[in-house]
Amino acid sequence: MIRRAWLLIWLLGGIGLGSAWAGEIAKPGKIKHVVVVWLKQAEEAGRFMALSKQLVDLPGVVDYSIGPALPDKSGSDFHLGIVVTLENRQSLYEYLNHPKHRDLIAKMRPLVERVVTYDFITR
């Protein structure tokens, strides 16, 4: 498996895709930090959202949205979605490592069954 991964990296680098991808990541742009949350108890959504909204005023945050998942036929079973827009990659690093963020994560952790995060650069 590791051999295949190295082969893919070598091939992509050899035909120029590796460096093109690295260049794309290096370009400036706002960052979207997306968090999908499954709660241990759905009734705790209000409490979780109230705690989460305390992160709105952290440095680098341009926009902060949180809300419940829409029920759909695909079987999506998460409870809450959060989208944080940040100034740049440095702002994301500072946001994730900010003492207030770390403290609130510790307070929210007992309410959470599962969390998935995604980060991407906007153009």
Side-chain angles (χ1 to χ4, degrees):
M1 183 68 169
I2 293 173
R3 228 184 234 179
R4 287 184 200 167
W6 279 109
L7 178 61
L8 180 60
I9 291 168
W10 179 78
L11 285 172
L12 290 175
I15 59 174
L17 292 179
S19 59
W21 183 75
E24 187 66 21
I25 294 297
K27 287 183 183 176
K30 297 220 184 306
I31 302 295
K32 294 287 185 180
H33 177 61
V34 179
V35 183
V36 180
V37 180
W38 289 260
L39 298 168
K40 289 179 182 174
Q41 298 177 357
E43 303 80 37
E44 293 287 2
R47 183 172 167 213
F48 183 97
M49 288 194 300
L51 287 168
S52 178
K53 287 179 182 179
Q54 294 177 41
L55 299 172
V56 170
D57 62 352
L58 289 185
V61 174
V62 175
D63 188 48
Y64 195 96
S65 301
I66 183 170
L70 288 174
D72 65 17
K73 296 177 185 176
S74 71
S76 176
D77 61 347
F78 72 97
H79 295 104
L80 299 169
I82 304 166
V83 178
V84 184
T85 304
L86 298 133
E87 266 312 313
N88 52 43
R89 292 179 74 184
Q90 181 64 32
S91 296
L92 174 63
Y93 175 81
E94 292 169 1
Y95 173 82
L96 295 174
N97 291 291
H98 194 283
K100 188 173 183 179
H101 182 267
R102 289 177 178 260
D103 289 345
L104 283 168
I105 295 299
K107 289 178 183 175
M108 293 185 287
R109 188 168 284 128
L111 306 176
V112 174
E113 182 175 320
R114 179 178 170 211
V115 173
V116 177
T117 62
Y118 303 96
D119 299 306
F120 63 93
I121 302 169
T122 61
R123 297 284 183 247

